[in-house]
Amino acid sequence: MTDNIERLVGAMPGTRGLLFGIMEFCREAKEPAQVDAYVTEQLQFYTSVHSPVEFRSFLEKAGALDFLPAEAPEDGADELEEAGTDGQRDSDDATGGTDAAEEKVYATDFPVDEDGFLIPAPERAGLWQTSEQGRAYLAGIDYQKRFDELLSADPPLSGIYYLILELCSDEPQSIDELDAQLKAPLAAVGSKKHAGFFVELLEGYDALKWEKKWKTTTVGRELLAARKEE
Amino acid sequence: MSSFDDRVDLLSDDEAKAAFEDALRARAASYAMLQRLFAKELDQDYLDQMTSMRLKASTGNDKVDRAYRLLSSFLGSRWERTLTELAVDYSKVFIGSGKSAYEAAYPFESVYLGEERRLMQEPRDEVLAEYRAAGLAKLDSFLDCEDHVAAEFEFMRVLAQRTLEGYRAGEADRAVELLEVQRRFIREHLARWLPKLSADMQKFAQSDFYRFLALYSEGFLETDSEFLDDVLEEN
């Protein structure tokens, strides 16, 4: 079931690309510090107040990421393993988490000092990896179908979308640069829209991303390539 | 002789009296912390104070234990934008966008116990009467209604502090009266709506910090109710 992942992505549209990016990044298991470094680097392109640790937590609770303990504790090791690998942490709320799942984790992995007090900063030792559900979710997205639906909503503008992907594929473009280059093509199809209109949609359809300037994503390049093959 | 007097007699040993005084001081401090955390967003000073807290792994209350683990985890993952992150979450959890009465954990008793989740309902008048009976009035600087959860926790803090002072001064009857008022206030107000507020907070919170606050406030209220029942010998 990928409903929780869908719910999480839907609840955080502004960081949709980052959530997908983390799932792609963690297809091969990564150290927590590697994930956090990736997210920290990406956060310069997103307006988000959430920390790298929070993003890991959101994706874990939604079932998109698995935590693979480096060395399972002797007591309750099976429970922790189970909670980390087979989606036991799925919840009705993508950002929530069931009590049972939380208890399983907390019961085994919080270090305590000799006086019975919790020791702060209990970073669990282990790796983060995109779960089977996360992979299934990514594999289940039909980018071409979604894009075709976008184009069919206003066929005369299809060429504009492709033109933007082409332009941003050659070299990242600012919105002003795109506006200047789209002026004539838009006038030719009788549209008074500006680049911002198209860019926002293309970003939502995962074909463009903002990295100080607008840049065509891998998905966008594949959409372009598919059109050229037609 | 009241049950509290009995308790005082039982606590003739200096060490036991000191322990009891510590318990009274601790509950006043806990209410002060709850008041602060619900009243407004966290600032650096308070975050630093919380970071220096020592959290017991096992308190005897499951909700408090889970809350402490959430807090420990949260404090362990602080970063440069933590305060901004918390300010955003405070807004999401308690303020929402105002589109409907069900999109945030609006921290007012009237919302949870009044008609149609509206403000300024009968519960507000009831707590106002309680405050007045205790000789208290809301400060002008506190802009929310009297039945805001922070105001109710502040009321408990003031009474808990008065109890501590009464106990220290040897005014047992006064202390018993105050504890009775606090127990009644919990039963008639906080215990009736705080669990619902806590459930909503856990639903809307995106940070472990506000999940901690939800669980801790509910768990602490349970333990304090048990403490009051124990001290007043009425279970």
Side-chain angles (χ1 to χ4, degrees), chain B residues 29-72:
Chain B
S30 295
Y31 279 117
M33 182 176 82
L34 286 169
Q35 183 276 333
R36 169 62 186 83
L37 296 181
F38 276 104
K40 58 184 178 181
E41 300 90 334
L42 214 58
D43 56 28
Q44 189 62 54
D45 190 40
Y46 210 84
L47 179 61
D48 291 344
Q49 285 184 49
M50 294 195 76
T51 306
S52 66
M53 284 169 55
R54 296 187 79 203
L55 307 171
K56 273 208 154 199
S58 182
T59 63
N61 182 286
D62 176 59
K63 292 189 180 95
V64 175
D65 289 352
R66 287 165 57 203
Y68 280 172
R69 288 168 189 144
L70 284 169
L71 180 61
S72 179

Side-chain angles (χ1 to χ4, degrees), chain A residues 136-150:
Chain A
Y137 178 79
L138 290 175
I141 302 173
D142 189 337
Y143 294 105
Q144 185 67 57
K145 187 180 171 194
R146 291 177 73 234
F147 193 57
D148 289 344
E149 286 168 2
L150 171 66

Side-chain angles (χ1 to χ4, degrees), chain B residues 115-126:
Chain B
E115 298 287 325
E116 299 172 357
R117 285 179 75 94
R118 284 184 298 177
L119 296 174
M120 302 289 279
Q121 302 296 296
E122 202 172 326
R124 179 257 178 186
D125 297 341
E126 290 170 2

Side-chain angles (χ1 to χ4, degrees), chain B residues 164-177:
Chain B
L164 174 63
E165 287 161 8
Y167 180 71
R168 279 175 178 161
E171 298 169 358
D173 288 343
R174 173 73 180 135
V176 169
E177 280 173 24

Side-chain angles (χ1 to χ4, degrees), chain B residues 128-180:
Chain B
L128 184 59
E130 293 279 1
Y131 300 164
R132 285 178 176 161
L136 295 167
K138 183 168 76 74
L139 291 171
D140 290 341
S141 57
F142 186 76
L143 301 176
D144 282 308
C145 307
E146 286 83 354
D147 62 346
H148 189 288
V149 68
E152 295 196 4
F153 278 135
E154 175 65 0
F155 176 66
M156 290 296 293
R157 183 199 69 79
V158 170
L159 295 194
Q161 187 64 32
R162 287 179 180 175
T163 307
L164 174 63
E165 287 161 8
Y167 180 71
R168 279 175 178 161
E171 298 169 358
D173 288 343
R174 173 73 180 135
V176 169
E177 280 173 24
L178 286 164
L179 289 175
E180 287 284 9

